[in-house]
Amino acid sequence: MSKPTSPWSVAGDRVRQRELKRDAVILAAARAFRERGFHNTSLDDIAAVLHVTKPTLYYYVLNKEQMLFECFREGLNRIVRACGEARDASSSGRERLVELVCRYVEAITSDFGWCMVRAEDQDLSPAMSARIKRLKSEIDQEMRSLIRQGIADGSIGACDPKMTTFALAGALNWIAHWYRDDASLSAAQIAERFVELFVNGLAPRPDGVISGKST
Amino acid sequence: MSKPTSPWSVAGDRVRQRELKRDAVILAAARAFRERGFHNTSLDDIAAVLHVTKPTLYYYVLNKEQMLFECFREGLNRIVRACGEARDASSSGRERLVELVCRYVEAITSDFGWCMVRAEDQDLSPAMSARIKRLKSEIDQEMRSLIRQGIADGSIGACDPKMTTFALAGALNWIAHWYRDDASLSAAQIAERFVELFVNGLAPRPDGVISGKST
DNA sequence: TAGAATTTATACTGGGAAGTATAATCACAG
DNA sequence: CTGTGATTATACTTCCCAGTATAAATTCTA
């Protein structure tokens, strides 16, 4: 203690503090946006939640647009990461897809779920909007790829990968619309039922013919 | 001709003109909102499209909020109507559901599709928001009901009606997000593939076991 | 054509919120 | 305790845009 750690660690501590505070700003923004929408949220609102004033926010963030961008990115990055994990995990294409669905539901029910799917990228500058579109496209392509793999290895029946991805991603993204009002199920439970539905479909299966993975 | 129709018919003509113009205002609003989002659209923008000035809009509409409300309502009403038609048409619960899906896709790809699902009801006053919520709830309940009927009459396998509705409605609503960028398929074609996916699921079906309606 | 009703435009008000200039405070080093 | 950089607050400016007061123009009636 008397011999203090290197001045750099102290400096590093400062830097760390800044990062933590910055994260807090982004999180507060995400929650406020989810609550009231992007345009109905003033920076004063966000500042108030943090017991701070508006100029303080500008010390951590460039402007309101950047806040939205960071919220977008934080949410989408989780799914991109999940894509990576799903890619090497498990065996069959379908099992990888199921894995991804579970992670997806977790992400979408998080604080950043709203921004991820309900915020309009029209509220971002063209440059930022393009970056978000790239992330979304990456996720889209990954899902299509898993479906194609599943078709190839026989774990998924013949289907149009693009439309199937649109349908699946739509069902998942839409969770952000109802999850707050109706949070009666956990993320895992939602994922489970979605998987059941998408794997087996609505049609009644004749007894004894179980083409899904038997649990 | 020399004996003109009753003065009321002339008056009625005026009334009719007003209605037509009012409809044009709502439609222009719907398109503008879809294009730029609600908050990024000024009334001057909408007026410009109609080759008119802002005060003219106020002659046909109470305020901006009401424009959004009418857009919401126009879109949702189509689906509510489709629910009604699906209810008496066809035979099995599943067939009725399929019917509804087809109509749903048509509505969602229309000019009002965006407002129907992507506009935030937070931008409406509590009273208007409540009316929209009621319409949405009506649709939700109808879908659940059809699924329950399907389970009862054996055309749909055992499932959780609420979650199934959430998933199906989500996939359908999400069409509003991608349909403009990727309109490579017609509404009917999209509906067809969605039905195929939701009825049969992803799992490969053993040959000879077709539980869906054989075409 | 006079006059009433309907429709539209010009030119303004007002408020809300993003962003900023400036100064005060705090933390720590020497 | 003194000065330097990091952090925060007060008090503005500025702009955009919804909504309006007022008057003009157009249409219809008689």
Side-chain angles (χ1 to χ4, degrees):
Chain A
M1 305 283 189
S2 52
K3 211 171 209 172
T5 52
S6 115
W8 271 110
S9 96
V10 171
D13 215 54
R14 272 253 171 97
V15 170
R16 180 107 196 86
Q17 288 300 316
R18 253 191 88 102
E19 280 173 5
L20 286 177
K21 288 184 180 176
R22 193 190 132 99
D23 288 350
V25 167
I26 302 297
L27 181 60
R31 288 180 175 155
F33 293 160
R34 184 181 61 182
E35 205 82 33
R36 275 164 268 179
F38 178 67
H39 289 279
N40 297 321
T41 300
S42 78
L43 295 187
D44 286 314
D45 291 336
I46 298 174
V49 170
L50 298 166
H51 304 292
V52 130
T53 58
K54 186 168 52 170
T56 301
L57 302 181
Y58 280 90
Y59 187 71
Y60 294 99
V61 147
L62 199 64
N63 51 30
K64 194 182 179 186
E65 185 206 341
Q66 205 199 12
M67 286 188 192
L68 182 61
F69 175 77
E70 295 297 342
C71 291
F72 259 117
R73 190 164 66 167
E74 176 65 32
L76 290 174
N77 269 342
R78 293 181 189 198
I79 299 189
V80 170
R81 257 179 270 133
C83 286
E85 290 168 19
R87 202 178 301 132
D88 20 67
S90 310
S91 46
S92 76
R94 193 174 82 203
E95 276 168 6
R96 290 182 199 179
L97 187 61
V98 167
E99 173 71 14
L100 178 55
V101 166
C102 294
R103 305 277 186 171
Y104 207 122
V105 176
E106 277 170 25
I108 219 86
T109 54
S110 79
D111 283 315
F112 295 96
W114 186 90
C115 294
M116 208 180 319
V117 302
R118 293 181 71 176
E120 298 285 334
D121 37 13
Q122 295 161 335
D123 295 326
L124 295 174
S125 66
M128 296 294 107
S129 179
R131 291 179 63 184
I132 294 303
K133 281 216 173 73
R134 211 175 310 139
L135 279 175
K136 286 183 175 175
S137 165
E138 203 174 311
I139 294 166
D140 179 62
Q141 289 301 326
E142 183 66 28
M143 286 185 73
R144 294 192 200 186
S145 167
L146 289 183
I147 289 172
R148 266 188 245 104
Q149 287 171 36
I151 295 174
D153 68 25
S155 60
I156 290 179
C159 66
D160 173 355
K162 188 168 86 172
M163 277 301 129
T164 305
T165 296
F166 279 171
L168 179 54
L172 291 169
N173 289 332
W174 199 254
I175 295 172
H177 275 79
W178 52 264
Y179 187 68
R180 291 217 76 210
D181 299 321
D182 184 340
S184 54
L185 263 55
S186 71
Q189 289 172 315
I190 294 170
E192 190 188 341
R193 300 188 191 202
F194 272 38
V195 164
E196 155 65 21
L197 170 62
F198 275 95
V199 168
N200 288 328
L202 291 167
R205 305 220 143 220
D207 280 339
V209 178
I210 311 274
S211 67
K213 181 174 79 178
S214 59
T215 38
Chain B
M1 303 283 188
S2 52
K3 212 174 207 171
T5 51
S6 114
W8 271 110
S9 97
V10 172
D13 215 55
R14 272 251 170 101
V15 170
R16 178 108 197 86
Q17 289 299 316
R18 254 190 87 102
E19 280 174 5
L20 287 177
K21 288 185 181 175
R22 193 189 132 99
D23 287 350
V25 168
I26 302 298
L27 181 59
R31 288 182 175 154
F33 293 160
R34 183 182 60 182
E35 206 82 32
R36 276 164 267 179
F38 178 67
H39 288 280
N40 297 321
T41 300
S42 78
L43 295 186
D44 287 312
D45 293 335
I46 297 174
V49 170
L50 297 167
H51 305 292
V52 130
T53 57
K54 187 169 49 170
T56 300
L57 301 182
Y58 280 89
Y59 187 70
Y60 294 99
V61 147
L62 199 66
N63 51 31
K64 194 181 179 185
E65 185 207 342
Q66 205 199 10
M67 286 189 192
L68 182 61
F69 175 77
E70 294 298 342
C71 292
F72 259 117
R73 192 165 65 166
E74 175 65 32
L76 291 174
N77 270 343
R78 294 182 189 199
I79 299 187
V80 170
R81 257 179 270 133
C83 286
E85 290 169 20
R87 202 178 301 133
D88 21 66
S90 309
S91 48
S92 75
R94 193 172 83 204
E95 276 168 6
R96 290 182 199 179
L97 188 61
V98 167
E99 173 72 13
L100 177 55
V101 166
C102 293
R103 307 276 186 171
Y104 208 121
V105 176
E106 275 170 26
I108 218 85
T109 55
S110 79
D111 282 315
F112 296 96
W114 186 89
C115 293
M116 206 180 320
V117 302
R118 292 181 70 178
E120 298 285 336
D121 37 13
Q122 295 161 336
D123 295 326
L124 295 175
S125 66
M128 296 294 108
S129 179
R131 291 179 63 183
I132 294 302
K133 282 214 172 76
R134 212 175 311 138
L135 279 176
K136 287 184 175 175
S137 166
E138 203 174 313
I139 295 166
D140 178 63
Q141 290 302 325
E142 184 65 29
M143 287 185 73
R144 294 190 199 185
S145 166
L146 289 183
I147 290 172
R148 266 187 245 104
Q149 287 170 36
I151 295 174
D153 67 25
S155 60
I156 290 179
C159 67
D160 173 355
K162 188 169 86 173
M163 278 301 129
T164 305
T165 296
F166 279 171
L168 179 54
L172 291 170
N173 289 333
W174 200 253
I175 294 172
H177 275 78
W178 53 263
Y179 187 69
R180 291 218 75 210
D181 299 321
D182 185 339
S184 53
L185 263 53
S186 71
Q189 289 171 317
I190 294 170
E192 190 187 341
R193 301 191 191 200
F194 272 38
V195 164
E196 154 66 20
L197 170 61
F198 275 95
V199 169
N200 287 328
L202 291 167
R205 304 221 144 219
D207 280 340
V209 178
I210 312 273
S211 66
K213 182 176 80 177
S214 59
T215 40

